[in-house]
Amino acid sequence: MTRSHEMNLLDLCAALGRGVVRVAKALLSALAAMVRISYRYYWLVLIILSLSVAAALYYSRPANRIYRVDALAMINGATHDVVTQAYLQLEEANKSFVHQNLHALLGITPALAKQQSHFAVYNVFDYMADGTADVIDYATQLPLDDTTCVRMPDRLALQFYTKQPDSVPLMQDAILRYLNSQQMIQAPYAQFRTNLEREAKFHHDQIDKLDSLTSVYYFSQSSSSQLAIEQQSLVLGTPKVTLFLDDVLEEMSVLKYTDTRLSYADAPVVLLSPFVVSSTPVNTPLKCSLLALLLGWVLSVLIALCIQHRGQLRLWLQE
């Protein structure tokens, strides 16, 4: 019979601690080896680092700065996934191997289309379940099945990168024109608009009916009927029927939301906030230089290792 060894929590913590120590020692040893070989071939390291920083500064020059552009869109009628797929077609069209490229889809010049990139969409979540956008999941880490963090079905965050911030208004009009011209987005919009208008008219009529009913029922009684306040409610006459104030307020609250929603339903896709250009470019000189220094150092160490073991490398290639 085999005896099973049960590990308690203390043994597990000790094993994890030993593993972390071993990994830390291995990383420190590798770092020390890289420092030693960098010192031995310092001339090679300096050359590659200089070239890397020069390339980073050239990439982040003012004429090549890339800016992030964001907007919050509201969807009227179409589903969340349909609009997402339609917008992501712009990123597919931006790739060189796609036949129908970006300038053909948006109706812009090829020169302007070359300045745009990274078309992406992100989910919008409502923590309070009050119809107000609380957070945009740029990291795409929030789960869609979390009942405490519900994805808004009619909101979508749109994003793209541009090298020409002055062209953002033109790109905004082109993107909206492209989305609203899609048949799969246009088709459900007409019915959605009609339903909203019918709902608004219904609630308007309900308020008018309650107002008329209040006037007829309460103020056409005999002079013996009197208004009175009992238990914080306003009642009239012997039946002591409460006035319809709560019903009217409830209908007005629903009507306010419907009218507001209807005011945004001018098109299948509208922007709650226009495209806004970030003040900080994506490829800042400092960020690119630091990344270039790190990559250049690693590359120089690898080249130095190849030079140091060139004899073994030559034998391996000749096998």
Side-chain angles (χ1 to χ4, degrees):
M1 296 179 60
T2 59
R3 298 178 59 184
S4 61
H5 176 69
E6 295 183 359
M7 179 180 294
N8 57 27
L9 181 59
L10 185 60
D11 294 335
L12 179 60
C13 292
L16 290 176
R18 289 192 297 268
V20 171
V21 171
R22 285 195 297 267
V23 171
K25 287 182 178 180
L27 291 177
L28 290 177
S29 299
L31 183 61
M34 293 177 67
V35 172
R36 286 195 299 268
I37 197 170
S38 298
Y39 178 75
R40 189 176 299 123
Y41 295 92
Y42 68 91
W43 52 271
L44 176 64
V45 175
L46 291 179
I47 292 175
I48 294 181
L49 289 182
S50 300
L51 294 176
S52 300
V53 172
L57 293 177
Y58 178 77
Y59 175 71
S60 60
R61 67 190 187 277
N64 198 46
R65 298 279 171 83
I66 301 174
Y67 295 88
R68 193 183 74 178
V69 187
D70 296 279
L72 182 61
M74 174 175 281
I75 306 171
N76 296 314
T79 62
H80 186 279
D81 294 336
V82 167
V83 180
T84 298
Q85 293 300 321
Y87 190 79
L88 291 180
Q89 287 180 7
L90 298 178
E91 178 63 19
E92 294 295 327
N94 195 36
K95 299 176 181 178
S96 58
F97 57 85
V98 178
H99 175 69
Q100 191 176 16
N101 47 24
L102 183 62
H103 71 87
L105 285 179
L106 295 181
I108 57 179
T109 60
L112 180 59
K114 291 180 180 179
Q115 305 300 319
Q116 321 302 326
S117 62
H118 188 71
F119 291 86
V121 295
Y122 300 96
N123 294 322
V124 181
F125 287 85
D126 181 11
Y127 287 139
M128 306 300 295
D130 56 357
T132 303
D134 293 320
V135 65
I136 298 175
D137 187 20
Y138 287 113
T140 62
Q141 293 180 348
L142 296 178
L144 298 180
D145 56 352
D146 188 357
T147 57
T148 62
C149 182
V150 181
R151 183 185 73 174
M152 304 187 72
D154 60 346
R155 307 292 168 84
L156 199 62
L158 308 179
Q159 184 184 98
F160 68 93
Y161 288 175
T162 182
K163 294 182 180 179
Q164 291 185 359
D166 296 339
S167 66
V168 170
L170 181 61
M171 286 295 299
Q172 174 176 305
D173 295 339
I175 290 174
L176 287 178
R177 182 172 58 251
Y178 160 74
L179 291 176
N180 292 326
S181 63
Q182 299 298 306
Q183 181 62 29
M184 56 185 177
I185 297 178
Q186 275 188 344
Y189 167 70
Q191 187 61 41
F192 176 81
R193 173 83 184 188
T194 301
N195 292 338
L196 273 182
E197 292 175 348
R198 290 176 179 174
E199 185 177 354
K201 184 178 183 304
F202 170 79
H203 291 296
H204 275 291
D205 294 341
Q206 289 297 108
I207 292 177
D208 293 339
K209 290 178 181 179
L210 287 173
D211 184 66
S212 301
L213 184 60
T214 302
S215 300
V216 172
Y217 188 81
Y218 294 112
F219 300 103
S220 298
Q221 303 292 330
S222 62
S223 60
S224 60
S225 301
Q226 296 180 355
L227 291 171
I229 298 178
E230 294 184 5
Q231 297 181 354
Q232 298 181 352
S233 296
L234 185 63
V235 298
L236 180 66
T238 304
K240 291 184 173 57
V241 180
T242 305
L243 286 174
F244 299 142
L245 179 60
D246 293 338
D247 300 313
V248 175
L249 292 178
E250 183 179 357
E251 285 293 332
M252 290 184 65
S253 177
V254 177
L255 179 61
K256 179 181 178 181
Y257 171 80
T258 305
D259 286 342
T260 302
R261 193 68 179 83
L262 187 60
S263 65
Y264 287 113
D266 294 333
V269 179
V270 296
L271 296 182
L272 296 180
S273 62
F275 280 101
V276 178
V277 182
S278 176
S279 58
T280 304
V282 176
N283 55 338
T284 60
L286 179 60
K287 183 191 300 183
C288 294
S289 298
L290 292 177
L291 184 60
L293 285 174
L294 178 60
L295 295 178
W297 182 46
V298 174
L299 178 61
S300 63
V301 170
L302 292 177
I303 296 176
L305 284 174
C306 293
I307 295 175
Q308 183 176 353
H309 301 282
R310 59 185 180 276
Q312 299 176 6
L313 183 61
R314 186 184 304 112
L315 294 175
W316 178 76
L317 292 175
Q318 292 176 354
E319 289 182 356

